[in-house]
Amino acid sequence: MKKTTREKICATIFMCSLFTFAGMNAYINGGSLIEILREQMMEVSEVSQLYDVTVAVEDEITESMLVKDAFIEIYGGTQLLLDKQEFNNFSFVKDDDGFLYYGKTYNTIDTEVETYAKRVRRMSEYVEEEGKKFLFVMPLDKNISEFVSSDSVLPISDVNPTMDLFLWRLNQNMVNTLDLRSSLVETGLSYEELFFKTDHHWTTLAAFYAAVEIVEEFEVVWGDDLDIDDFYMDIENYELEILEESALGSMGKDVGILYSEGYDDMQLLTPNFETDYSYTYYNSSGKEILRTGTFEETLMFTEYLDGSYENTERVYLNTANREDIIINNLNPDGPKLLVLRDSYFSPVAAFLSPLFSEIHMVWATSQENPGVDFEEFLKENIDEYDYVILEVYSHNLNDYSFEFFQ
Amino acid sequence: MLFTSEIFIFYFLPIVFILYYILSFSRLAQNIWLFIMSILFYAWGEPVYVLLMLFSILINWWTCIRMEKHEDSEKKRKHVLIIACVFNLLILFFFKYFGFLLTSINGLLDIALFPEITLRLPIGISFYTFQAMSYVIDVYRKQAKVEKNPFYVGLYIAFFPQLIAGPIVRYTSIAEQIRTRRSDYAGMSAGISRFMIGFTKKVLLSNNFAILADLIFNYSQMGNEQYLVPASLAWLGMIAYTMQIYFDFSAYSDMAIGLGKMFGFDFPENFNYPYYASSMQDFWKRWHISLTSWFREYLYFPLGGSKTKNTDIMIRNIFIVWMFTGIWHGAGLSFIVWGLWHFIFQLAERFFGYGQNGKHQIIMRIYTMLVVMFGWVVFRAVDLYQAYLYFMNLFALNNNGFFSEEALFLVNEYAVVIIIGIIFCVPTAPSVGAWVEKHCKSFVQTILQSGYIVVLCLLFIISLSYIIRSGYNPFIYFNF
């Protein structure tokens, strides 16, 4: 075979496949692309904004690319073949056991948390002035020193020093805090039982024990024993079902199934006792939805267990609602809890719900819940509640999560 | 617009290509189509500065028209040439060097005499300005005819394959092709294959080396108080950058040459395995050949070149060329020092004659690579102080030690990329190709050629997955 023949074959394959693919892609996505272009052009009031138009169009092209998932799998499969632990310029790192982490080549302590600590102190003071009880809850990060060696050369993002500084500042400011890092490790759960391999979230079991720790903290700090009979916080009163290889977390979706090397097991924990709830939530588009019935019928979104693997981690409270109101119809005289939180708290709230007559939660980061004044929200609602919890996950220790009491 | 972007691959290229061949009935229509799409290509990345480029095209077209009108007056022709050159150089100076000059004066005087001016550098301004000057000078020298059609001048200056990062095509080498080029399937196929090779080189090699180089140079930039860069890590960073810049720029040239061929143009080669050079003089015959040729043709020879008997003048000429080569690459002292670094070794090789007798090839290649790599450290560092710190790290003079677990980890992570990079930055592929042709039977050759097709297509698909999944896609020469 001559070189020219080889080149002709290459060219023919290139033209046939690329142009066909490009044509199909343009046919399917061309309309939305033109729409984006039109919308962006409408917003242009000065020439320099034309740069934004091109960026928006290119973003849309990437986002809507035909068979994008297949390309992600090809990329992930290539990284797997190359035996890479670092993924996509240190966006993610995979350890020898297959756990995915956020990557960071140089970890620093974010001293901005000192500012956030002051805001939390002001929030705490306000709540206590109103005669209510305030607790700051810090979930554990996936990078746990007991399981992930700090000597490891893997460039894993480590926010623990920042968390330490933040909690130290809060304690200096006399804010009630609950650091779940050590307490959850002490439960004896293995790393696989605490965290998904393919997600940054903790598992159902970890969330349950977090709820237990919160209830214990209420007793330690204020002497409030919410679970007098030690019934609702006893795992023996729950049915544990393991759905093997049924979940692909957000990190897994980013790196693909091949690089994730399979799916995670999903733990389903359902109460063995009678429940009755009225649960209202506002989804990401602000739509109000009401569900009534048992724990499983209201607080669990079993429709995510449809075998598609996607969003399985959202089984409890849909994970990402803007606002949730859980009314426990079987405990109308119980205390009321107001929570400013992020996604980590969804399963925790589900397990706390038997102990309260009402749990009202708002997703308190301006990125996820834009346009909401969280300080105003707290002031408007404080009268109705007995306890206020502020929960912020380690990677949310940033400006977006502390836009209150500035 | 980047060649390695989804919009280029899935939208721009198919549209330009298909319509170009639909317009085969008229060369004029094809050229105007290519010009319009070239302007769109540039405007996509530079919606504001596209006007500057159009203005530059018009001025250069007009000055040559004026030159032709004064054909009988050498003096007037020279005046027009000077005006055109001053115009081109002024544009380049204003956007690329003016801010640096004011900052330097303020720094020297230690007062804020001038306000700080930070102009965004128009993409590819150094390339298209040099092309424009080539046109004007070639017309002045009567080596090329005046082009009366402004679209054709525009197509020469702004043709999208080489607009942003070269090769810097001399007008004389392309003037004929604009009007009378031949497009056939063989040429187009060669172009597509070349484009695919460049695309995969850029995405799979250069971008991966860029991750390593950027990471390690950034570590060094953080300073010793924040992060001590062990010597082994510093060496890895230097080697990674050496690979990155070669695969980045040569891949762009491959894509440019390939795209040119797809539309019937033959651009000159820009690289010839520079890291295989056995001396610094040899290196510059292999690296960015079009820029070296431009400086030789339009600066070095007019100054007298090396034919002058006066050694001082010869040294001055070489000095000027390397000074400007450095400055051309960027506004900053580090680029000037980088140019002078090359000047010193070029001069030394001329005067001491080493590397010219073909002996001690291995030692000479190692010497050349070390000189080139140390030069890249100066080139890559954000300023001279950072370059100094990096050199201290390289030789473990920062109390930084030698061994680094992180270097070991990174080498392990990027082992395949590093090995392939080393293999393909020297002429392994043509040597193997020639050996196969000479020693293997035809059916073995057919199998190997078929394998080549499969591998190239697979690598291209993997490269597409990289650009869709990975956002890390820098182009070093984009900013020159």
Tab-separated table of all heavy atoms in Angstrom, chain B residues 95 110 114 123-124 128 228 280 293 301 342 394 432 477:
chain	number	residue	atom	x	y	z
B	95	PHE	N	0.429	47.659	20.420
B	95	PHE	CA	-0.365	46.636	21.123
B	95	PHE	C	0.498	45.667	21.934
B	95	PHE	O	0.040	45.111	22.919
B	95	PHE	CB	-1.228	45.851	20.131
B	95	PHE	CG	-2.432	46.638	19.687
B	95	PHE	CD1	-2.436	47.306	18.482
B	95	PHE	CD2	-3.547	46.735	20.511
B	95	PHE	CE1	-3.538	48.048	18.090
B	95	PHE	CE2	-4.654	47.467	20.119
B	95	PHE	CZ	-4.642	48.141	18.906
B	110	ASP	N	11.751	54.687	38.986
B	110	ASP	CA	11.153	54.441	40.302
B	110	ASP	C	10.057	55.446	40.653
B	110	ASP	O	9.853	55.805	41.810
B	110	ASP	CB	12.249	54.434	41.386
B	110	ASP	CG	11.805	53.612	42.589
B	110	ASP	OD1	10.880	52.795	42.412
B	110	ASP	OD2	12.360	53.803	43.684
B	114	PHE	N	4.379	57.497	33.922
B	114	PHE	CA	3.313	57.225	32.949
B	114	PHE	C	2.236	56.350	33.592
B	114	PHE	O	2.552	55.537	34.463
B	114	PHE	CB	3.877	56.487	31.733
B	114	PHE	CG	4.951	57.256	31.011
B	114	PHE	CD1	6.274	56.859	31.096
B	114	PHE	CD2	4.631	58.372	30.245
B	114	PHE	CE1	7.265	57.551	30.442
B	114	PHE	CE2	5.625	59.072	29.587
B	114	PHE	CZ	6.945	58.672	29.688
B	123	ILE	N	-4.919	38.568	19.082
B	123	ILE	CA	-4.410	37.216	18.763
B	123	ILE	C	-3.681	37.240	17.421
B	123	ILE	O	-4.170	37.796	16.438
B	123	ILE	CB	-5.585	36.211	18.705
B	123	ILE	CG1	-6.255	36.103	20.067
B	123	ILE	CG2	-5.109	34.841	18.248
B	123	ILE	CD1	-7.577	35.352	20.023
B	124	GLY	N	-2.518	36.635	17.403
B	124	GLY	CA	-1.780	36.434	16.155
B	124	GLY	C	-1.221	37.690	15.518
B	124	GLY	O	-0.803	37.652	14.349
B	128	TYR	N	0.467	37.983	11.644
B	128	TYR	CA	-0.105	38.618	10.448
B	128	TYR	C	0.611	39.913	10.095
B	128	TYR	O	0.633	40.315	8.935
B	128	TYR	CB	-1.634	38.742	10.528
B	128	TYR	CG	-2.243	39.791	11.416
B	128	TYR	CD1	-2.170	41.142	11.113
B	128	TYR	CD2	-2.975	39.427	12.543
B	128	TYR	CE1	-2.780	42.092	11.930
B	128	TYR	CE2	-3.583	40.363	13.352
B	128	TYR	CZ	-3.479	41.699	13.044
B	128	TYR	OH	-4.088	42.638	13.833
B	228	LEU	N	8.761	24.177	48.345
B	228	LEU	CA	10.122	23.898	47.876
B	228	LEU	C	10.040	22.903	46.723
B	228	LEU	O	9.486	21.816	46.884
B	228	LEU	CB	10.955	23.314	49.007
B	228	LEU	CG	11.696	24.309	49.912
B	228	LEU	CD1	12.408	23.561	51.020
B	228	LEU	CD2	12.692	25.150	49.131
B	280	MET	N	23.466	24.493	17.951
B	280	MET	CA	22.422	25.523	18.038
B	280	MET	C	22.097	26.095	16.653
B	280	MET	O	20.962	26.470	16.383
B	280	MET	CB	22.858	26.634	18.997
B	280	MET	CG	22.855	26.215	20.454
B	280	MET	SD	21.293	25.450	20.934
B	280	MET	CE	20.181	26.844	20.837
B	293	SER	N	13.536	32.168	8.593
B	293	SER	CA	13.669	32.598	7.197
B	293	SER	C	13.274	34.056	7.049
B	293	SER	O	13.911	34.814	6.319
B	293	SER	CB	12.762	31.773	6.285
B	293	SER	OG	12.981	30.431	6.498
B	301	PHE	N	19.948	39.662	6.015
B	301	PHE	CA	20.593	39.944	4.723
B	301	PHE	C	20.665	41.440	4.440
B	301	PHE	O	21.718	41.936	4.038
B	301	PHE	CB	19.890	39.195	3.583
B	301	PHE	CG	20.131	37.704	3.593
B	301	PHE	CD1	19.330	36.840	2.859
B	301	PHE	CD2	21.188	37.165	4.323
B	301	PHE	CE1	19.570	35.469	2.860
B	301	PHE	CE2	21.428	35.793	4.343
B	301	PHE	CZ	20.610	34.949	3.612
B	342	HIS	N	20.498	32.575	22.988
B	342	HIS	CA	20.714	31.874	21.719
B	342	HIS	C	21.807	32.559	20.902
B	342	HIS	O	22.600	31.898	20.224
B	342	HIS	CB	19.406	31.791	20.932
B	342	HIS	CG	18.483	30.737	21.473
B	342	HIS	ND1	18.493	29.437	21.036
B	342	HIS	CD2	17.557	30.788	22.469
B	342	HIS	CE1	17.601	28.731	21.729
B	342	HIS	NE2	17.024	29.539	22.592
B	394	LEU	N	16.641	23.858	39.927
B	394	LEU	CA	17.197	22.820	39.057
B	394	LEU	C	18.493	22.240	39.610
B	394	LEU	O	18.755	21.043	39.496
B	394	LEU	CB	17.493	23.410	37.672
B	394	LEU	CG	16.333	23.538	36.691
B	394	LEU	CD1	16.799	24.251	35.442
B	394	LEU	CD2	15.775	22.174	36.322
B	432	VAL	N	11.711	4.594	10.936
B	432	VAL	CA	11.030	3.295	10.957
B	432	VAL	C	10.311	3.060	9.626
B	432	VAL	O	10.376	1.965	9.047
B	432	VAL	CB	10.042	3.208	12.151
B	432	VAL	CG1	9.172	1.967	12.048
B	432	VAL	CG2	10.802	3.222	13.470
B	477	TYR	N	1.652	29.542	21.381
B	477	TYR	CA	1.955	30.560	20.374
B	477	TYR	C	0.753	31.421	19.991
B	477	TYR	O	0.858	32.287	19.155
B	477	TYR	CB	2.573	29.894	19.130
B	477	TYR	CG	4.082	29.795	19.233
B	477	TYR	CD1	4.679	28.931	20.139
B	477	TYR	CD2	4.919	30.597	18.473
B	477	TYR	CE1	6.052	28.857	20.260
B	477	TYR	CE2	6.289	30.532	18.584
B	477	TYR	CZ	6.857	29.655	19.473
B	477	TYR	OH	8.223	29.592	19.598
